[in-house]
Amino acid sequence: MKIKLHYVIRLTIALVICIIYGSLIFVRTSEAQIVIIANTSISENEISKNDLKDMFLGIKLKWSDSKDVKLIVLKGTETHEAFLKNYIKKRPYQFKNYWKQMLFTGKSVLPKSTESEDAVLEYVEKTEGAIGYISAEPADETVKILIIID
Amino acid sequence: MKKLLLSVTIFLYLVVTCQLFAMESEKVNIHGFIAQGYLQTDKNNFFANTIDGTFQFNELGINFINQFSNDFRIGMQFFARDIGEMGNDDIILDWAYADYRFKRWLGIKAGKVKLPLSFYSDIRDMDHLRTWIFLPQGVYHEIRRDTFATRKGIELCGTTPHTALGLFQYQAQIGILKMSINDGNIRFNESLVYPIYSIIGIEVKPGYLGRINWEPPLDGLRLYVTYSEYEYDIDTVMNVAPPPPPPGQPLPDLSLQKVKDLSLFFGAEYSISGITLTTEYFREDEEQIAINAPDIPIVERLREGWYISGTYRFNDWIETGLYYSIYDPDRESEEYERQLQVAQDTQSPLPLKFKFESTEYCATVRFDINEFWTFKIEAHQFDGTAVLIAQDQEGLSESETDQSYRLLAAKCSFNF
């Protein structure tokens, strides 16, 4: 196989430039506060980072009492971006693409999504097994706040 | 008729609702996609009449999933595509299976399941799920796409708990690949010996696949390895007289042949700060045996291919990508020499002009106009024509074929 070295060199330089550019222009650290909330029917009071990530990637499907995990995603907000960065280790477009891949290969349906934190609170309060995230602790105790542990 | 019905149904749904949202009832989720593209090459035909420019390049699909619970669902997806003589907008059942999870580490799928050979193999029909219009041909040879899409059978799958080594996922399949004499893989097989014989019948034997995914404890890194075996018998009819046998020996009977295929795929991907670097490698060992002519030597083919790519997501609506890919279908010089000899004996001018490898450079830009609409434009530079099909070059003049050629592709897709 012949390899045109000058093309490979140019390609490599281009990729390096992209990497340098990419590492310089970002990176907002997501400082938004994240509060993980769950329906009061579940027995857990805390959740590990791994379990939280696995739930929002459709890997962990059940709570410890075998109730279905019902996800609600807060899209298009700084809270959403901060949640994904801190706990799921994905950017919003990667997270959206991940779930569309799951959908179009039949592995799952899409999680429920909304742009309103009030809608998140309402869904989590009324749906058995639900889990979501908001930017501040709720005013009342209609939902359970889960403590994140390593 | 079926194509028209599906197209009209999807179009009417979009028009009547006047909104671009998917339909989700309590039970059944309905989603779909439509993609239309344009292809143009400066030399050679790239799976369609691309030298004159063509819009014969589209995909559409619709899926229905009923999720009874988190651990049990049934779904199906109908799909149609067209590029040159492949697909012709015939509606097929892309996948249809029941999926039940006993435990995190054990689940079962039964029905028509997607083939998880590589990073993009199970999503390559969905344009909106990847950066590129055409995936690197070194690993994702377009002509073989429909063969390596699905399998009728059973899959076991599962995910390990998180450990110090990270996360492991496995998939193990057994079943039968969907293959017909009109498939790209069969046309490719014919192309290798074009125009000696045509394949008129095929019988696929059960095959199997095993894959391990690994996510080490480094955010953004994932790796996999896949092993696959399959086998099929083909009935052939000779189009030209075969090479004369040694004196005193009868003409060999090539009408029934067996093909055995072993494939190995590796891949690694790392994502950080909007940049994704990916590399994949595949190796395929194929044997073709003339069942009724034991004196004919077994044809052994070794195909290899790999690529390296980088993508960068600038913001929510623009992403760019570059890749370099090599496809080398005849690494062993003896087979290369044999193929040349076959071409000379059949006095076919086309194969003699084509090198048995292909290097590819690609640059692409993807625009996500909104959550549902995507537009891409990309340019390819090819050196070597191993990924092309000899039959597609029929009718081209000498000046219209060349070892090096360029491809411009543009595509608009909509998903809901």
Side-chain angles (χ1 to χ4, degrees):
Chain A
M1 294 185 288
K2 293 182 183 176
I3 299 175
K4 294 189 177 176
L5 191 58
H6 57 286
Y7 284 132
V8 175
I9 291 172
R10 288 179 192 174
L11 182 63
T12 305
I13 292 172
L15 281 176
V16 169
I17 292 172
C18 283
I19 291 168
I20 294 171
Y21 179 64
S23 64
L24 287 175
I25 66 163
F26 183 31
V27 163
R28 298 173 277 172
T29 51
S30 296
E31 300 292 345
Q33 182 187 5
I34 307 295
V35 178
I36 309 299
I37 57 173
N39 184 267
T40 53
S41 68
I42 67 159
S43 55
E44 284 90 332
N45 294 312
E46 56 190 27
I47 186 169
S48 71
K49 287 181 180 176
N50 282 335
D51 279 353
L52 184 63
K53 180 179 178 182
D54 286 351
M55 281 185 182
F56 277 88
L57 292 180
I59 297 171
K60 183 174 173 61
L61 305 175
K62 302 280 190 182
W63 295 100
S64 59
D65 57 4
S66 299
K67 286 191 181 68
D68 277 357
V69 173
K70 299 286 188 186
L71 303 173
I72 182 162
V73 172
L74 184 64
K75 62 179 181 180
T77 63
E78 279 193 12
T79 307
H80 176 59
E81 198 170 326
F83 171 77
L84 294 182
K85 176 177 167 56
N86 293 329
Y87 296 111
I88 313 301
K89 311 301 181 184
K90 288 185 185 295
R91 291 189 152 193
Y93 76 92
Q94 292 173 317
F95 184 74
K96 184 173 63 176
N97 206 50
Y98 173 88
W99 276 103
K100 284 194 174 181
Q101 290 184 23
M102 296 282 277
L103 171 71
F104 285 100
T105 53
K107 294 175 186 172
S108 181
V109 296
L110 296 177
K112 192 171 181 61
S113 64
T114 178
E115 295 181 358
S116 157
E117 290 201 14
D118 289 338
V120 172
L121 274 168
E122 183 181 356
Y123 179 81
V124 172
E125 177 188 346
K126 293 179 178 176
T127 306
E128 190 177 68
I131 182 171
Y133 49 91
I134 52 178
S135 61
E137 290 192 13
D140 52 32
E141 293 183 352
T142 54
V143 296
K144 177 184 287 192
I145 296 174
L146 295 181
I147 298 169
I148 307 296
I149 58 174
D150 286 333
Chain B
M1 182 60 188
K2 286 181 182 177
K3 170 189 73 173
L4 179 61
L5 184 61
L6 181 60
S7 302
V8 168
T9 302
I10 293 176
F11 178 72
L12 283 177
Y13 169 76
L14 295 174
V15 169
V16 169
T17 58
C18 295
Q19 288 193 67
L20 305 179
F21 65 89
M23 182 187 295
E24 294 186 1
S25 73
E26 253 187 62
K27 291 289 184 185
V28 180
N29 289 255
I30 304 174
H31 296 265
F33 56 91
I34 300 173
Q36 175 61 54
Y38 175 78
L39 302 174
Q40 176 87 55
T41 48
D42 61 343
K43 303 281 186 184
N44 309 322
N45 279 326
F46 188 79
F47 306 120
N49 184 21
T50 55
I51 199 166
D52 292 331
T54 182
F55 284 97
Q56 199 181 10
F57 180 43
N58 58 266
E59 296 137 358
L60 55 93
I62 187 166
N63 68 49
F64 307 85
I65 300 176
N66 192 343
Q67 180 146 308
F68 298 95
S69 66
N70 275 13
D71 47 21
F72 180 48
R73 77 186 62 84
I74 293 176
M76 63 178 65
Q77 177 162 289
F78 295 95
F79 176 70
R81 75 172 186 130
D82 188 27
I83 176 170
E85 291 190 26
M86 292 188 284
N88 291 319
D89 290 321
D90 291 333
I91 298 173
I92 62 169
L93 185 62
D94 186 21
W95 50 260
Y97 61 88
D99 181 351
Y100 185 75
R101 301 301 166 98
F102 298 96
K103 298 285 183 185
R104 175 189 173 104
W105 50 269
L106 180 62
I108 184 168
K109 295 176 186 172
K112 194 172 186 183
V113 295
K114 298 295 286 187
L115 224 60
L117 289 170
S118 50
F119 277 137
Y120 300 102
S121 58
D122 57 350
I123 60 168
R124 66 183 299 180
D125 290 333
M126 280 73 79
D127 178 78
H128 59 285
L129 295 180
R130 59 178 189 268
T131 306
W132 328 97
I133 296 175
F134 285 106
L135 291 163
Q137 295 299 292
V139 177
Y140 297 94
H141 194 183
E142 192 68 22
I143 192 70
R144 310 180 77 190
R145 170 174 159 178
D146 45 7
T147 299
F148 301 112
T150 55
R151 163 179 274 137
K152 289 183 184 177
I154 291 175
E155 175 180 309
L156 299 180
C157 55
T159 306
T160 66
H162 288 268
T163 67
L165 291 177
L167 196 71
F168 291 90
Q169 294 175 313
Y170 76 92
Q171 290 167 279
Q173 285 186 354
I174 186 167
I176 293 179
L177 290 178
K178 180 196 86 67
M179 292 177 73
S180 76
I181 59 173
N182 297 316
D183 278 357
N185 194 45
I186 298 302
R187 293 188 68 226
F188 182 61
N189 187 304
E190 290 176 335
S191 169
L192 296 175
V193 293
Y194 180 82
I196 294 179
Y197 63 69
S198 296
I199 296 172
I200 57 172
I202 183 168
E203 181 184 346
V204 186
K205 305 296 174 63
Y208 58 89
L209 171 155
R211 172 170 171 159
I212 302 286
N213 294 324
W214 179 35
E215 290 184 22
L218 172 64
D219 292 336
L221 180 63
R222 59 176 183 148
L223 304 98
Y224 78 88
V225 59
T226 306
Y227 180 76
S228 165
E229 276 193 35
Y230 69 93
E231 184 179 315
Y232 59 95
D233 294 342
I234 51 175
D235 298 312
T236 65
V237 60
M238 304 302 290
N239 296 321
V240 297
Q249 292 196 10
L251 215 58
D253 179 1
L254 302 178
S255 61
L256 183 61
Q257 302 188 40
K258 180 183 294 293
V259 180
K260 295 182 180 179
D261 188 286
L262 313 177
S263 298
L264 198 61
F265 291 79
F266 296 107
E269 181 182 274
Y270 182 59
S271 296
I272 184 169
S273 299
I275 296 170
T276 301
L277 300 174
T278 309
T279 185
E280 291 188 273
Y281 165 85
F282 102 101
R283 174 193 171 105
E284 182 180 26
D285 290 86
E286 187 174 87
E287 284 185 352
Q288 189 157 342
I289 307 162
I291 296 174
N292 297 329
D295 293 336
I296 296 292
I298 296 173
V299 173
E300 294 179 342
R301 300 188 186 99
L302 171 61
R303 300 187 187 104
E304 284 186 309
W306 68 274
Y307 76 90
I308 183 166
S309 74
T311 66
Y312 182 66
R313 169 68 60 159
F314 288 88
N315 49 42
D316 286 344
W317 62 276
I318 186 167
E319 182 178 39
T320 61
L322 299 167
Y323 71 65
Y324 171 75
S325 170
I326 288 180
Y327 179 69
D328 190 14
D330 277 297
R331 200 162 175 264
E332 296 292 328
S333 60
E334 287 181 8
E335 176 63 14
Y336 174 78
E337 293 301 327
R338 192 196 69 80
Q339 295 266 357
L340 277 183
Q341 189 63 47
V342 166
Q344 285 171 338
D345 290 345
T346 58
Q347 298 179 345
S348 168
L350 293 174
L352 286 174
K353 292 188 61 177
F354 291 69
K355 285 164 49 173
F356 288 87
E357 64 184 51
S358 178
T359 57
E360 179 186 8
Y361 308 89
C362 173
T364 194
V365 182
R366 168 181 169 143
F367 301 94
D368 288 290
I369 299 164
N370 58 33
E371 191 176 342
F372 309 103
W373 288 98
T374 298
F375 176 74
K376 302 176 189 176
I377 186 162
E378 74 185 26
H380 297 252
Q381 167 71 48
F382 289 93
D383 183 20
T385 53
V387 301
L388 298 181
I389 302 304
Q391 300 92 309
D392 290 343
Q393 316 312 318
E394 284 280 15
L396 294 184
S397 65
E398 183 117 356
S399 62
E400 292 177 313
T401 60
D402 201 87
Q403 304 283 10
S404 296
Y405 60 102
R406 295 177 184 84
L407 167 70
L408 175 70
K411 203 169 190 184
C412 186
S413 65
F414 164 75
N415 72 94
F416 62 93

